[in-house]
Amino acid sequence: YSSPTPYSRTGMKRLFERKRQYRRFTSSDEFVDEQFVQPEPVVPVRSIAYAVLLFVIGSILLIMGSLLFTGVIENGFTEKWASMIVLGALMFIPGSYHTYLAYQAWRGEPGYSFNDVPSFD
């Protein structure tokens, strides 16, 4: 059996000949209040630790790259400043954003929740 192509007449005919059973909603099929109750959010500790790690390492790389660029640090690694700044920015931006979200959720600010922090579990 090969799957029908979109342009095959027999494939389209088989698609529309499938028997589907539908039912009407009755008055007992209404919404209930329990559907809209949100569970207590779980604190994603691993995600927050990962965000803080990105924030700290990104900050260190940005500072080191800036010091190499300005000439404050004069080692044999002065040509590495651009890669350190780019890598530091790539780590700093998401790390600082998710750390800020977690901090605001921890403080209980309205509009912030631990559901906003992505979970890697």
Side-chain angles (χ1 to χ4, degrees), residues 18-71:
R18 293 184 184 163
K19 302 293 182 193
R20 289 187 173 81
Q21 293 183 2
Y22 297 100
R23 66 179 179 93
R24 285 191 169 274
F25 284 118
T26 61
S27 61
S28 64
D29 290 335
E30 294 178 2
F31 293 110
V32 291
D33 291 338
E34 288 81 25
Q35 287 178 290
F36 302 105
V37 174
Q38 291 187 354
E40 191 66 32
V42 179
V43 178
V45 177
R46 240 173 69 187
S47 299
I48 294 171
Y50 182 60
V52 170
L53 183 71
L54 282 175
F55 176 69
V56 169
I57 294 174
S59 299
I60 290 170
L61 286 174
L62 278 173
I63 291 170
M64 292 296 291
S66 300
L67 291 176
L68 286 171
F69 176 70
T70 56

